[in-house]
Amino acid sequence: DVFFQRLREGLNPAAADTMPGPYGYAGFWVRVGAKFIDGIIVTVVTQIANGLLGILFFSRFIWMGQPAPSHNMGLFFAYTAATFLVNLTIGLGFSWFFLAKYQATPGKLALGLKVVRADGSRLRSGRIIGRHFSELISYIIMCIGYMMAGWDDEKRALHDRICDTRVIRTR
């Protein structure tokens, strides 16, 4: 698999240290830094949205000084479902917009990284959406899916393997 991939990229397949492009694959720690930057951005946006939803759902209790009824679990579940959907939409929209337009999220752009297919082409919408949801798998299994990038020869995390993507350095 690696042999034919290197052959498609026009590289010497026998050289184990040959990497795609002029700068190679992005390593584990630089990817952690990019994920941290993206996490800060997404967290700020989702917390603002969650606050607005809280005002929308609970404004009569906030502004009127009424105590929230403890027996009204339907309101609580509706708020929880709304925040879940809004947070999911924000995270997916963030990934889709930046990967479709710039081939990198703001964290990856800041650190000089780019997400490409194995053949070096851009990601299409379906693959971006699939990569977003497979990233959730990497996270759910105690981040082991992310750690895979530390020992993989092409620095691929689990979601990169699932979606056949690579994170490469651009500088």
Side-chain angles (χ1 to χ4, degrees):
D1 183 46
V2 174
F3 177 84
F4 291 110
Q5 176 60 36
R6 293 184 192 282
L7 203 59
R8 280 192 301 265
E9 292 171 353
L11 304 173
N12 179 3
D17 59 346
T18 306
M19 306 258 190
Y23 302 108
Y25 298 112
F28 174 75
W29 289 110
V30 71
R31 290 179 69 166
V32 168
K35 193 68 171 168
F36 182 76
I37 293 168
D38 293 337
I40 290 172
I41 294 168
V42 171
T43 299
V44 167
V45 173
T46 56
Q47 290 305 309
I48 291 169
N50 291 343
L52 293 174
L53 282 172
I55 291 170
L56 177 71
F57 276 85
F58 302 109
S59 63
R60 65 182 163 157
F61 307 115
I62 295 169
W63 304 120
M64 307 272 186
Q66 300 172 357
S70 59
H71 62 277
N72 193 352
M73 292 304 289
L75 184 64
F76 172 73
F77 286 128
Y79 170 73
T80 303
T83 56
F84 174 77
L85 290 174
V86 166
N87 292 348
L88 184 67
T89 304
I90 289 170
L92 181 59
F94 177 85
S95 294
W96 179 81
F97 174 78
F98 284 104
L99 288 176
K101 186 165 179 127
Y102 302 106
Q103 290 185 281
T105 58
K108 287 180 177 62
L109 286 171
L111 298 178
L113 307 177
K114 185 166 73 168
V115 182
V116 295
R117 294 279 318 272
D119 61 1
S121 63
R122 296 179 72 91
L123 275 63
R124 294 186 162 222
S125 292
R127 193 167 303 270
I128 292 170
I129 293 168
R131 189 174 192 273
H132 176 77
F133 286 110
S134 41
E135 246 187 278
L136 295 176
I137 297 170
S138 293
Y139 177 75
I140 287 171
I141 57 172
M142 299 185 310
C143 296
I144 292 172
Y146 289 114
M147 289 185 247
M148 288 174 63
W151 60 77
D152 185 74
D153 59 337
E154 294 179 331
K155 307 296 183 196
R156 293 176 296 170
L158 178 62
H159 51 277
D160 293 319
R161 287 178 170 273
I162 291 170
C163 295
D164 193 32
T165 58
R166 308 293 188 278
V167 179
I168 60 171
R169 294 180 174 272
T170 59
R171 55 182 171 178

